[in-house]
Amino acid sequence: RVGRSDAYASAYDLESETYVPLPKGDVHKRKELVQDITLGDLDAANARPQGGQDIMSVMSHLVKSQRTEVTDKLRREVNKVVKSYVDQGVAEVVPGVVFIDEVHMLDIECFTYLNLLLESPMAPTVIFATNRGTSLVRGTDDVVSPHGIPVDLLDRCLIVKTEGYTKEQVAAVVQLRAQVEGLTLGPGVLDKIAVEGERASLRYALQLLAPASLVSQLAGRSEITLEDIGEMNELFLDAKTSAGMMGDFEGAASTAAGEAGDVEREAVNFAFIDARTLTSREHLLAALYVALVAASHSELTTKTVHSEIIWALNYSNNITESIKRFGVSDATTSLVVVRVGDRQTLPSGSKVLVEEDVKNMASSVVEGQWAPLDQLTSVTDWSLVRKYYKLNSDPAVARFPKAKSASSDEVPPKLRGIMNEIVVSAVAMKSVLA
């Protein structure tokens, strides 16, 4: 209020007041609308524009479910309109944040588009996260770059150094997690888990809580003890320990130099075959013959004569497929170990390779009960044989329609002989066809 209308200036009043003239004309009401909208929403709304072309008409279409392709031309037009609104003071651009985790999984085309995107004045702040070192850029054959990101894009980035959690920080997080889940930690448990978290990772330390709690409950205890954590360490490996064990078994054998590397490679220099896929001794000998013939002529399809034996067993020439089908897998319970030796002095003192030598050399990598090769047919999985060698469509096998759904023990001996002859012939002919 600024005063009283001057129409009452002649009236007598005990209180003195300031008189002002009464405003003339219509009363105007001004209302300001503020709408938060993303460039992606504008692109989608303009993909199928309907009605007016003003900003309010565009916003009215945001709730519509119709979608179509958003082209580069459309993006440029939308950016042009938004820029004009910004120049007029009608709109304001607030840069957003795009977080891309595991950025090394993107291919070269994605990185090219990101490079183009960052040149736009309305580009958001982009944060990349990765744990890779120097690696191959996906989508290329020979472009190796730090963190798997092309160098031209990496030069435009600020690299933030991250550090691992300390023991005290791991302990604080584990304590908070235990409180949230209602777990009681016994004496020394928190320090033990903190040490494991500092050695391995925070995630591994947190994952120990749930199984340790179950073990303590089964034992009738109300709190997690050091014994429970120790049992969890024996049952579950962290990623670093697991990778180290695999590296000792595989990586060291293939990359170690000198005498130590030769010893490691010699320890796994065998052909490990899933015994369920072999139909007879002749089946195995046929594959062995194919591999030896190829080795004698220096025409191996694979790198070694042992991998050539596994490849010879496969119906096709796909090396990866042959290893998956006839090599060792998680489902393997019976194993055939084959070793091709040369004319050198062996541990047994013999000049030729004998069964005793194979057992002694394989004992370091194979645990199990040794059985004579005559028992090979007792573990044959005939359903796998029919599948891998595509025998269900063979006319000789088609005469036994009930055998398709029969278990290995229910397959008639006559049909077993027929399938064995077909399989042995297929393997033997591979040396000719290859």
Side-chain angles (χ1 to χ4, degrees), residues 199 237-252:
R199 178 189 63 83
L237 299 177
D238 62 275
K240 293 180 180 178
T241 303
S242 178
M245 293 177 61
M246 293 302 297
D248 292 341
F249 183 74
E250 297 177 350

Side-chain angles (χ1 to χ4, degrees), residues 377-382 406-413 416:
T377 56
S378 63
V379 297
T380 302
D381 189 335
W382 293 99
S407 62
S408 295
D409 296 335
E410 297 174 348
V411 176
R416 294 186 183 185

Side-chain angles (χ1 to χ4, degrees), residues 216-286:
S216 65
Q217 293 177 8
L218 293 175
R221 294 189 294 268
S222 59
E223 64 179 14
I224 300 175
T225 64
L226 287 173
E227 180 184 353
D228 300 328
I229 299 300
E231 185 175 352
M232 293 305 99
N233 287 334
E234 295 177 359
L235 292 176
F236 305 107
L237 299 177
D238 62 275
K240 293 180 180 178
T241 303
S242 178
M245 293 177 61
M246 293 302 297
D248 292 341
F249 183 74
E250 297 177 350
S254 59
T255 61
E259 184 178 353
D262 295 337
V263 173
E264 293 289 345
R265 283 185 284 272
E266 184 69 16
V268 293
N269 191 19
F270 297 93
F272 298 108
I273 306 172
D274 192 336
R276 300 175 303 162
T277 61
L278 298 176
T279 59
S280 64
R281 178 194 293 264
E282 289 75 18
H283 185 194
L284 176 61
L285 293 177

